[in-house]
Amino acid sequence: MTAGITAWGSYLPYWRLQRSAIGAVLGSGGGRGTRAVASYDEDTTTLGAEAGRRALAVGPGAGAVQDLFLSTPDPGYLDKTSATTVHAALGLGRGCGAYDFAGSSRSAVATLLQAFVGAAGGRTTMAVVSDLRTGLAGSAEERDSGDGAAAFVCAADGAVAELIGRGAASDEFLDRWRVPGETDSHIWEERFGEELYVPLAREAFAAALKDAGLAEGDIDHAVVTGLHARATKAAANGLGVRDGVLAPDLLGSVGNLGAAHAAVALCDVLERAEAGQVVVVLSLADGADAFVLRTTPALVDAQRARAEAGVPSVAEQVAAGRDDLSYASFLTWRAQLHREPPRRPDPERPGAPAVHRSEEWKYAFAASRCTACGFRHMPPTRACLNCHAIDQMQPERLADTPGTVATFTIDHLAFSLSPPVIGVIIDFDGGGRFRCELTDARPDELSIGDRVSMTFRRVWTAQGVHNYFWKARPLAGAVGAGGDGDAGSAERGE
């Protein structure tokens, strides 16, 4: 069987930090352009879940996925599988495996290759790659990095891009490292890394083309990524491909997305490529990995279906980014600036038994609809509030159903890492009213009647336990600093 990608999705947080804002505060460390910034209520788990939702928006449904692989160098948990949270948020079946690939950025390539291997064996797999990068204040890592995620569904049939070759080159050397317990990476002298990476890149690139039976002139799109900027640039310039083949690097607009950069760049290529073209992805991370894809006629239909479904492309997300995030807010969200919180009790960690009992609601955002009268209940319930029928309910996932703001309130006292809290009451399309928090919006830009969609977020972390639940966000784009409210169990995701 020939394994390939059948569907894809990317997620770039809406917030952007202008690099000049860093220099304006610190006096150095700034620059031109912007970097993508995950909001205070986002982490690599929620970024991955959002990318996965977009991959499943068109193509095989959630029920078709048999294995889920999540890769990130910055996992939400250790000694607990974060992939199971993504699995639950996507509403995947109980029989679907969920596995973490964590630790280094090279695990991102391994995740996609494992998805290809599973697909070649006849299984439908999903690879999710997510990264959130910070760096010390004023460092090049902080300035040049970015946050994002991508997801790919792989199968043997119906592929839009088939895997036709791959190559790798490995060597043991010290370039970038971080020991357990540290939040920031250490980097060795750049010239040393460049001297080692460039030959490895050439070896992996040549091996992949040989495996595919192709030459440099056959390549239509080439993606070259890596956290070592000098080595990546040198490797890209030395590939010998013709002009116009190298994909845009996205560094000026969203920054280097680390482990997720190659995957997001590949999504961008798939959204622009034509049928029958050759795509090569070369990733530099503790060695070099390259794989070759050939697009199929199914790609055109997939591109059209995504556009009709309103799935945002990488280019659209780049253009939609909002670049007025303050540097103080960025440092606060990254826990590098500890500011006085509202004077309310800190939240308590959610209880494991209660969370498990409400798993379908809390993670999949599944309401219940009465089969007797059609009334929709949020949260789900056994007894119908309209006709009083008992146990005549059908689960109904609403994570992808938009709604309208019926009314809202601004709370300056509720606990939040980014106050004030915006509480909204939403009327969902097709019925159902729900009170929840609104994120990615500024209070002075919100109006009754605004359209919203749901997004999976980390509400808070207490005593080492992450409380994930769903929030609303503006459907068309004004993204801001909505907060974490304390306005009832439904909003808190308990």
Side-chain angles (χ1 to χ4, degrees):
M1 291 184 176
T2 301
I5 297 170
T6 60
W8 71 92
S10 63
Y11 179 73
L12 295 173
Y14 192 78
W15 276 113
R16 303 288 185 272
L17 175 68
Q18 293 194 37
R19 296 188 175 104
S20 59
I22 302 174
V25 174
L26 302 181
S28 63
R32 294 180 297 178
T34 59
R35 60 155 291 170
V37 178
S39 185
Y40 68 95
D41 55 0
E42 295 183 297
D43 62 10
T44 54
T45 300
T46 65
L47 296 177
E50 290 299 303
R53 291 175 65 195
R54 292 173 177 182
L56 293 174
V58 176
V65 179
Q66 296 169 287
D67 288 304
L68 168 69
F69 309 113
L70 171 66
S71 172
T72 176
D74 186 26
Y77 284 112
L78 299 176
D79 280 347
K80 183 194 180 304
T81 304
S82 296
T84 54
T85 304
V86 177
H87 171 281
L90 297 180
L92 303 184
R94 189 177 178 90
C96 172
Y99 312 98
D100 282 357
F101 285 63
S104 71
S105 58
R106 196 175 192 183
S107 66
V109 176
T111 302
L112 184 54
L113 292 176
Q114 181 61 43
F116 283 135
V117 170
R123 299 179 68 84
T124 299
T125 60
M126 173 180 278
V128 179
V129 182
S130 177
D131 206 351
L132 189 155
R133 309 198 68 83
T134 301
L136 295 173
S139 67
E141 180 91 348
E142 175 191 65
R143 177 195 66 210
D144 298 334
S145 296
D147 310 324
F152 301 95
V153 178
C154 298
D157 299 319
V160 300
E162 296 178 334
L163 179 68
I164 60 174
R166 57 161 298 202
S170 299
D171 193 8
E172 165 56 26
F173 60 97
L174 193 64
D175 169 50
R176 173 185 295 270
W177 72 97
R178 173 168 53 90
V179 299
E182 292 185 319
T183 58
D184 302 297
S185 297
H186 306 277
I187 304 171
W188 201 260
E189 204 277 325
E190 282 192 327
R191 287 177 297 177
F192 172 71
E194 182 179 2
E195 291 174 359
L196 295 177
Y197 268 125
V198 172
L200 292 169
R202 292 170 180 164
E203 293 173 28
F205 181 70
L209 290 181
K210 181 178 180 180
D211 191 39
L214 300 173
E216 290 88 346
D218 299 321
I219 301 172
D220 298 291
H221 302 275
V223 173
V224 183
T225 67
L227 284 170
H228 194 298
R230 284 177 51 167
T232 302
K233 183 176 181 179
N237 292 336
L239 291 184
V241 297
R242 63 184 185 276
D243 291 342
V245 168
L246 285 175
D249 58 25
L250 306 175
L251 299 180
S253 55
V254 298
N256 193 316
L257 306 178
H261 200 92
V264 172
L266 176 56
C267 290
D268 180 50
V269 168
L270 292 176
E271 289 154 2
R272 297 182 291 103
E274 301 174 357
Q277 292 189 324
V278 174
V279 181
V280 177
V281 178
L282 175 62
S283 174
L284 310 184
D286 296 319
D289 296 277
F291 54 91
V292 185
L293 301 168
R294 177 177 281 118
T295 60
T296 72
L299 177 63
V300 178
D301 293 334
Q303 292 170 336
R304 183 183 305 111
R306 287 169 58 85
E308 293 174 351
V311 182
S313 67
V314 173
E316 289 170 338
Q317 293 177 75
V318 169
R322 181 168 182 166
D323 63 2
D324 59 352
L325 178 68
S326 70
Y327 187 49
S329 293
F330 170 79
L331 293 177
T332 302
W333 294 356
R334 289 298 201 265
Q336 293 190 357
L337 179 62
H338 300 283
R339 299 164 69 175
E340 176 74 12
R343 295 187 176 181
R344 288 293 185 271
D346 290 345
E348 298 180 357
R349 68 180 182 185
V355 168
H356 187 263
R357 285 194 299 268
S358 61
E359 177 181 351
E360 193 172 13
W361 162 249
K362 179 175 175 59
Y363 292 106
F365 202 63
S368 60
R369 184 181 288 277
C370 178
T371 57
C373 69
F375 193 83
R376 180 185 280 168
H377 299 79
M378 305 173 65
T381 182
R382 293 178 56 194
C384 179
L385 298 176
N386 183 56
C387 71
H388 310 298
I390 304 296
D391 291 336
Q392 297 187 43
M393 297 292 173
Q394 179 178 352
E396 188 172 3
R397 178 179 167 91
L398 294 182
D400 303 316
T401 301
T404 302
V405 175
T407 188
F408 65 91
T409 184
I410 310 300
D411 191 338
H412 292 269
L413 296 178
F415 172 85
S416 174
L417 292 177
S418 187
V421 170
I422 305 176
V424 294
I425 294 179
I426 301 172
D427 288 331
F428 281 86
D429 295 357
R433 171 168 283 193
F434 182 59
R435 182 184 65 179
C436 66
E437 298 170 23
L438 184 76
T439 190
D440 291 354
R442 292 195 185 278
D444 58 356
E445 297 172 343
L446 181 63
S447 301
I448 293 174
D450 284 354
R451 298 285 287 168
V452 296
S453 59
M454 302 307 293
T455 179
F456 189 65
R457 297 297 172 103
R458 187 186 65 193
V459 182
W460 65 63
T461 299
Q463 297 175 277
V465 178
H466 302 311
N467 186 24
Y468 294 104
F469 191 53
W470 295 81
K471 297 183 181 183
R473 64 173 295 178
L475 186 62
V479 173
D484 301 316
D486 189 6
S489 62
E491 294 182 44
R492 295 158 62 101
E494 296 176 342

PDB file of all heavy atoms in Angstrom, residues 117-148:
ATOM      1  N   VAL A 117       3.652   5.008   8.421  1.00  0.00           N
ATOM      2  CA  VAL A 117       3.834   3.562   8.608  1.00  0.00           C
ATOM      3  C   VAL A 117       2.498   2.902   8.938  1.00  0.00           C
ATOM      4  O   VAL A 117       2.144   1.854   8.393  1.00  0.00           O
ATOM      5  CB  VAL A 117       4.870   3.285   9.711  1.00  0.00           C
ATOM      6  CG1 VAL A 117       4.884   1.802  10.077  1.00  0.00           C
ATOM      7  CG2 VAL A 117       6.259   3.722   9.261  1.00  0.00           C
ATOM      8  N   GLY A 118       1.761   3.518   9.854  1.00  0.00           N
ATOM      9  CA  GLY A 118       0.453   2.963  10.191  1.00  0.00           C
ATOM     10  C   GLY A 118      -0.491   2.956   9.016  1.00  0.00           C
ATOM     11  O   GLY A 118      -1.239   1.985   8.808  1.00  0.00           O
ATOM     12  N   ALA A 119      -0.455   4.025   8.213  1.00  0.00           N
ATOM     13  CA  ALA A 119      -1.326   4.098   7.044  1.00  0.00           C
ATOM     14  C   ALA A 119      -0.958   3.037   6.014  1.00  0.00           C
ATOM     15  O   ALA A 119      -1.826   2.443   5.371  1.00  0.00           O
ATOM     16  CB  ALA A 119      -1.248   5.488   6.425  1.00  0.00           C
ATOM     17  N   ALA A 120       0.346   2.791   5.850  1.00  0.00           N
ATOM     18  CA  ALA A 120       0.782   1.759   4.909  1.00  0.00           C
ATOM     19  C   ALA A 120       0.297   0.384   5.350  1.00  0.00           C
ATOM     20  O   ALA A 120       0.128  -0.518   4.524  1.00  0.00           O
ATOM     21  CB  ALA A 120       2.303   1.763   4.795  1.00  0.00           C
ATOM     22  N   GLY A 121       0.080   0.218   6.646  1.00  0.00           N
ATOM     23  CA  GLY A 121      -0.440  -1.044   7.168  1.00  0.00           C
ATOM     24  C   GLY A 121      -1.947  -1.136   7.135  1.00  0.00           C
ATOM     25  O   GLY A 121      -2.513  -2.102   7.669  1.00  0.00           O
ATOM     26  N   GLY A 122      -2.605  -0.135   6.567  1.00  0.00           N
ATOM     27  CA  GLY A 122      -4.056  -0.196   6.408  1.00  0.00           C
ATOM     28  C   GLY A 122      -4.840   0.548   7.469  1.00  0.00           C
ATOM     29  O   GLY A 122      -6.076   0.493   7.466  1.00  0.00           O
ATOM     30  N   ARG A 123      -4.168   1.249   8.378  1.00  0.00           N
ATOM     31  CA  ARG A 123      -4.862   1.983   9.418  1.00  0.00           C
ATOM     32  C   ARG A 123      -4.966   3.469   9.049  1.00  0.00           C
ATOM     33  O   ARG A 123      -4.100   4.003   8.349  1.00  0.00           O
ATOM     34  CB  ARG A 123      -4.148   1.838  10.766  1.00  0.00           C
ATOM     35  CG  ARG A 123      -4.070   0.403  11.255  1.00  0.00           C
ATOM     36  CD  ARG A 123      -3.338   0.296  12.580  1.00  0.00           C
ATOM     37  NE  ARG A 123      -4.055   0.904  13.686  1.00  0.00           N
ATOM     38  CZ  ARG A 123      -5.009   0.299  14.384  1.00  0.00           C
ATOM     39  NH1 ARG A 123      -5.390  -0.931  14.066  1.00  0.00           N
ATOM     40  NH2 ARG A 123      -5.596   0.912  15.400  1.00  0.00           N
ATOM     41  N   THR A 124      -6.022   4.112   9.532  1.00  0.00           N
ATOM     42  CA  THR A 124      -6.155   5.550   9.378  1.00  0.00           C
ATOM     43  C   THR A 124      -5.563   6.209  10.614  1.00  0.00           C
ATOM     44  O   THR A 124      -5.988   5.945  11.739  1.00  0.00           O
ATOM     45  CB  THR A 124      -7.630   5.962   9.228  1.00  0.00           C
ATOM     46  OG1 THR A 124      -8.174   5.342   8.057  1.00  0.00           O
ATOM     47  CG2 THR A 124      -7.755   7.474   9.090  1.00  0.00           C
ATOM     48  N   THR A 125      -4.564   7.043  10.416  1.00  0.00           N
ATOM     49  CA  THR A 125      -3.815   7.606  11.529  1.00  0.00           C
ATOM     50  C   THR A 125      -3.855   9.132  11.481  1.00  0.00           C
ATOM     51  O   THR A 125      -4.137   9.726  10.441  1.00  0.00           O
ATOM     52  CB  THR A 125      -2.351   7.149  11.501  1.00  0.00           C
ATOM     53  OG1 THR A 125      -1.761   7.583  10.263  1.00  0.00           O
ATOM     54  CG2 THR A 125      -2.252   5.629  11.589  1.00  0.00           C
ATOM     55  N   MET A 126      -3.552   9.745  12.623  1.00  0.00           N
ATOM     56  CA  MET A 126      -3.451  11.196  12.688  1.00  0.00           C
ATOM     57  C   MET A 126      -2.173  11.569  13.422  1.00  0.00           C
ATOM     58  O   MET A 126      -1.913  11.076  14.520  1.00  0.00           O
ATOM     59  CB  MET A 126      -4.655  11.822  13.395  1.00  0.00           C
ATOM     60  CG  MET A 126      -4.497  13.333  13.637  1.00  0.00           C
ATOM     61  SD  MET A 126      -5.899  14.119  14.476  1.00  0.00           S
ATOM     62  CE  MET A 126      -6.976  14.363  13.072  1.00  0.00           C
ATOM     63  N   ALA A 127      -1.379  12.444  12.815  1.00  0.00           N
ATOM     64  CA  ALA A 127      -0.175  12.971  13.434  1.00  0.00           C
ATOM     65  C   ALA A 127      -0.417  14.433  13.773  1.00  0.00           C
ATOM     66  O   ALA A 127      -0.783  15.225  12.903  1.00  0.00           O
ATOM     67  CB  ALA A 127       1.019  12.840  12.493  1.00  0.00           C
ATOM     68  N   VAL A 128      -0.214  14.799  15.028  1.00  0.00           N
ATOM     69  CA  VAL A 128      -0.389  16.165  15.495  1.00  0.00           C
ATOM     70  C   VAL A 128       0.946  16.662  16.036  1.00  0.00           C
ATOM     71  O   VAL A 128       1.556  15.992  16.879  1.00  0.00           O
ATOM     72  CB  VAL A 128      -1.468  16.264  16.588  1.00  0.00           C
ATOM     73  CG1 VAL A 128      -1.610  17.703  17.079  1.00  0.00           C
ATOM     74  CG2 VAL A 128      -2.803  15.746  16.077  1.00  0.00           C
ATOM     75  N   VAL A 129       1.393  17.801  15.542  1.00  0.00           N
ATOM     76  CA  VAL A 129       2.662  18.383  15.971  1.00  0.00           C
ATOM     77  C   VAL A 129       2.392  19.771  16.523  1.00  0.00           C
ATOM     78  O   VAL A 129       1.725  20.584  15.866  1.00  0.00           O
ATOM     79  CB  VAL A 129       3.667  18.463  14.809  1.00  0.00           C
ATOM     80  CG1 VAL A 129       4.989  19.029  15.298  1.00  0.00           C
ATOM     81  CG2 VAL A 129       3.872  17.091  14.183  1.00  0.00           C
ATOM     82  N   SER A 130       2.894  20.043  17.724  1.00  0.00           N
ATOM     83  CA  SER A 130       2.591  21.303  18.397  1.00  0.00           C
ATOM     84  C   SER A 130       3.818  21.798  19.145  1.00  0.00           C
ATOM     85  O   SER A 130       4.575  21.006  19.701  1.00  0.00           O
ATOM     86  CB  SER A 130       1.427  21.082  19.374  1.00  0.00           C
ATOM     87  OG  SER A 130       1.139  22.244  20.105  1.00  0.00           O
ATOM     88  N   ASP A 131       4.007  23.115  19.160  1.00  0.00           N
ATOM     89  CA  ASP A 131       5.136  23.669  19.900  1.00  0.00           C
ATOM     90  C   ASP A 131       4.794  25.071  20.389  1.00  0.00           C
ATOM     91  O   ASP A 131       4.076  25.824  19.719  1.00  0.00           O
ATOM     92  CB  ASP A 131       6.395  23.718  19.030  1.00  0.00           C
ATOM     93  CG  ASP A 131       7.680  23.677  19.865  1.00  0.00           C
ATOM     94  OD1 ASP A 131       7.598  23.777  21.101  1.00  0.00           O
ATOM     95  OD2 ASP A 131       8.770  23.548  19.271  1.00  0.00           O
ATOM     96  N   LEU A 132       5.312  25.390  21.564  1.00  0.00           N
ATOM     97  CA  LEU A 132       5.165  26.706  22.169  1.00  0.00           C
ATOM     98  C   LEU A 132       6.533  27.091  22.704  1.00  0.00           C
ATOM     99  O   LEU A 132       7.058  26.449  23.599  1.00  0.00           O
ATOM    100  CB  LEU A 132       4.113  26.651  23.284  1.00  0.00           C
ATOM    101  CG  LEU A 132       3.644  27.964  23.903  1.00  0.00           C
ATOM    102  CD1 LEU A 132       2.247  27.798  24.488  1.00  0.00           C
ATOM    103  CD2 LEU A 132       4.598  28.427  25.005  1.00  0.00           C
ATOM    104  N   ARG A 133       7.109  28.153  22.127  1.00  0.00           N
ATOM    105  CA  ARG A 133       8.493  28.491  22.409  1.00  0.00           C
ATOM    106  C   ARG A 133       8.581  29.875  23.053  1.00  0.00           C
ATOM    107  O   ARG A 133       7.882  30.800  22.652  1.00  0.00           O
ATOM    108  CB  ARG A 133       9.340  28.443  21.138  1.00  0.00           C
ATOM    109  CG  ARG A 133       9.178  27.131  20.351  1.00  0.00           C
ATOM    110  CD  ARG A 133      10.306  26.917  19.391  1.00  0.00           C
ATOM    111  NE  ARG A 133      11.560  26.657  20.084  1.00  0.00           N
ATOM    112  CZ  ARG A 133      11.916  25.461  20.541  1.00  0.00           C
ATOM    113  NH1 ARG A 133      11.121  24.426  20.415  1.00  0.00           N
ATOM    114  NH2 ARG A 133      13.082  25.322  21.149  1.00  0.00           N
ATOM    115  N   THR A 134       9.450  29.987  24.049  1.00  0.00           N
ATOM    116  CA  THR A 134       9.521  31.224  24.817  1.00  0.00           C
ATOM    117  C   THR A 134      10.896  31.865  24.750  1.00  0.00           C
ATOM    118  O   THR A 134      11.128  32.792  23.993  1.00  0.00           O
ATOM    119  CB  THR A 134       9.139  30.952  26.290  1.00  0.00           C
ATOM    120  OG1 THR A 134       7.820  30.419  26.329  1.00  0.00           O
ATOM    121  CG2 THR A 134       9.160  32.243  27.090  1.00  0.00           C
ATOM    122  N   GLY A 135      11.874  31.363  25.497  1.00  0.00           N
ATOM    123  CA  GLY A 135      13.192  31.986  25.556  1.00  0.00           C
ATOM    124  C   GLY A 135      13.258  33.054  26.625  1.00  0.00           C
ATOM    125  O   GLY A 135      12.250  33.645  27.026  1.00  0.00           O
ATOM    126  N   LEU A 136      14.448  33.322  27.108  1.00  0.00           N
ATOM    127  CA  LEU A 136      14.643  34.357  28.110  1.00  0.00           C
ATOM    128  C   LEU A 136      14.355  35.736  27.532  1.00  0.00           C
ATOM    129  O   LEU A 136      14.519  35.960  26.323  1.00  0.00           O
ATOM    130  CB  LEU A 136      16.074  34.305  28.647  1.00  0.00           C
ATOM    131  CG  LEU A 136      16.451  33.037  29.426  1.00  0.00           C
ATOM    132  CD1 LEU A 136      17.935  33.043  29.757  1.00  0.00           C
ATOM    133  CD2 LEU A 136      15.616  32.906  30.693  1.00  0.00           C
ATOM    134  N   ALA A 137      13.922  36.648  28.389  1.00  0.00           N
ATOM    135  CA  ALA A 137      13.586  37.995  27.942  1.00  0.00           C
ATOM    136  C   ALA A 137      14.777  38.651  27.244  1.00  0.00           C
ATOM    137  O   ALA A 137      15.887  38.679  27.773  1.00  0.00           O
ATOM    138  CB  ALA A 137      13.148  38.844  29.128  1.00  0.00           C
ATOM    139  N   GLY A 138      14.535  39.142  26.041  1.00  0.00           N
ATOM    140  CA  GLY A 138      15.567  39.800  25.262  1.00  0.00           C
ATOM    141  C   GLY A 138      16.442  38.879  24.453  1.00  0.00           C
ATOM    142  O   GLY A 138      17.335  39.349  23.724  1.00  0.00           O
ATOM    143  N   SER A 139      16.210  37.582  24.524  1.00  0.00           N
ATOM    144  CA  SER A 139      17.054  36.630  23.799  1.00  0.00           C
ATOM    145  C   SER A 139      16.605  36.491  22.348  1.00  0.00           C
ATOM    146  O   SER A 139      15.483  36.838  21.984  1.00  0.00           O
ATOM    147  CB  SER A 139      17.006  35.260  24.477  1.00  0.00           C
ATOM    148  OG  SER A 139      15.713  34.685  24.350  1.00  0.00           O
ATOM    149  N   ALA A 140      17.502  35.940  21.529  1.00  0.00           N
ATOM    150  CA  ALA A 140      17.146  35.649  20.136  1.00  0.00           C
ATOM    151  C   ALA A 140      16.057  34.596  20.063  1.00  0.00           C
ATOM    152  O   ALA A 140      15.206  34.627  19.160  1.00  0.00           O
ATOM    153  CB  ALA A 140      18.395  35.189  19.376  1.00  0.00           C
ATOM    154  N   GLU A 141      16.071  33.661  21.004  1.00  0.00           N
ATOM    155  CA  GLU A 141      15.037  32.624  21.048  1.00  0.00           C
ATOM    156  C   GLU A 141      13.660  33.253  21.228  1.00  0.00           C
ATOM    157  O   GLU A 141      12.695  32.881  20.554  1.00  0.00           O
ATOM    158  CB  GLU A 141      15.325  31.656  22.198  1.00  0.00           C
ATOM    159  CG  GLU A 141      14.319  30.539  22.341  1.00  0.00           C
ATOM    160  CD  GLU A 141      14.681  29.298  21.558  1.00  0.00           C
ATOM    161  OE1 GLU A 141      15.601  29.368  20.718  1.00  0.00           O
ATOM    162  OE2 GLU A 141      14.048  28.268  21.769  1.00  0.00           O
ATOM    163  N   GLU A 142      13.535  34.202  22.142  1.00  0.00           N
ATOM    164  CA  GLU A 142      12.261  34.877  22.368  1.00  0.00           C
ATOM    165  C   GLU A 142      11.837  35.658  21.133  1.00  0.00           C
ATOM    166  O   GLU A 142      10.683  35.605  20.709  1.00  0.00           O
ATOM    167  CB  GLU A 142      12.394  35.828  23.559  1.00  0.00           C
ATOM    168  CG  GLU A 142      11.147  36.674  23.812  1.00  0.00           C
ATOM    169  CD  GLU A 142      11.404  37.783  24.809  1.00  0.00           C
ATOM    170  OE1 GLU A 142      12.207  38.695  24.492  1.00  0.00           O
ATOM    171  OE2 GLU A 142      10.804  37.750  25.891  1.00  0.00           O
ATOM    172  N   ARG A 143      12.781  36.380  20.536  1.00  0.00           N
ATOM    173  CA  ARG A 143      12.489  37.249  19.398  1.00  0.00           C
ATOM    174  C   ARG A 143      12.093  36.468  18.153  1.00  0.00           C
ATOM    175  O   ARG A 143      11.132  36.820  17.456  1.00  0.00           O
ATOM    176  CB  ARG A 143      13.717  38.105  19.106  1.00  0.00           C
ATOM    177  CG  ARG A 143      13.594  39.023  17.895  1.00  0.00           C
ATOM    178  CD  ARG A 143      14.979  39.518  17.500  1.00  0.00           C
ATOM    179  NE  ARG A 143      15.827  38.438  17.023  1.00  0.00           N
ATOM    180  CZ  ARG A 143      17.150  38.410  17.152  1.00  0.00           C
ATOM    181  NH1 ARG A 143      17.781  39.403  17.756  1.00  0.00           N
ATOM    182  NH2 ARG A 143      17.851  37.390  16.670  1.00  0.00           N
ATOM    183  N   ASP A 144      12.813  35.418  17.855  1.00  0.00           N
ATOM    184  CA  ASP A 144      12.677  34.746  16.565  1.00  0.00           C
ATOM    185  C   ASP A 144      11.713  33.568  16.578  1.00  0.00           C
ATOM    186  O   ASP A 144      11.391  33.037  15.517  1.00  0.00           O
ATOM    187  CB  ASP A 144      14.047  34.254  16.086  1.00  0.00           C
ATOM    188  CG  ASP A 144      15.025  35.387  15.855  1.00  0.00           C
ATOM    189  OD1 ASP A 144      14.559  36.515  15.577  1.00  0.00           O
ATOM    190  OD2 ASP A 144      16.240  35.163  15.962  1.00  0.00           O
ATOM    191  N   SER A 145      11.276  33.131  17.749  1.00  0.00           N
ATOM    192  CA  SER A 145      10.417  31.947  17.823  1.00  0.00           C
ATOM    193  C   SER A 145       8.952  32.293  17.603  1.00  0.00           C
ATOM    194  O   SER A 145       8.580  33.464  17.461  1.00  0.00           O
ATOM    195  CB  SER A 145      10.591  31.258  19.184  1.00  0.00           C
ATOM    196  OG  SER A 145      11.889  30.761  19.350  1.00  0.00           O
ATOM    197  N   GLY A 146       8.119  31.275  17.595  1.00  0.00           N
ATOM    198  CA  GLY A 146       6.680  31.440  17.463  1.00  0.00           C
ATOM    199  C   GLY A 146       5.978  30.195  17.945  1.00  0.00           C
ATOM    200  O   GLY A 146       6.613  29.179  18.256  1.00  0.00           O
ATOM    201  N   ASP A 147       4.664  30.252  18.022  1.00  0.00           N
ATOM    202  CA  ASP A 147       3.856  29.141  18.519  1.00  0.00           C
ATOM    203  C   ASP A 147       2.885  28.693  17.435  1.00  0.00           C
ATOM    204  O   ASP A 147       2.321  29.521  16.701  1.00  0.00           O
ATOM    205  CB  ASP A 147       3.065  29.568  19.761  1.00  0.00           C
ATOM    206  CG  ASP A 147       3.938  30.249  20.811  1.00  0.00           C
ATOM    207  OD1 ASP A 147       5.096  29.820  20.949  1.00  0.00           O
ATOM    208  OD2 ASP A 147       3.462  31.190  21.473  1.00  0.00           O
ATOM    209  N   GLY A 148       2.648  27.395  17.342  1.00  0.00           N
ATOM    210  CA  GLY A 148       1.706  26.896  16.355  1.00  0.00           C
ATOM    211  C   GLY A 148       1.614  25.394  16.367  1.00  0.00           C
ATOM    212  O   GLY A 148       2.305  24.709  17.134  1.00  0.00           O
TER     213      GLY A 148
END
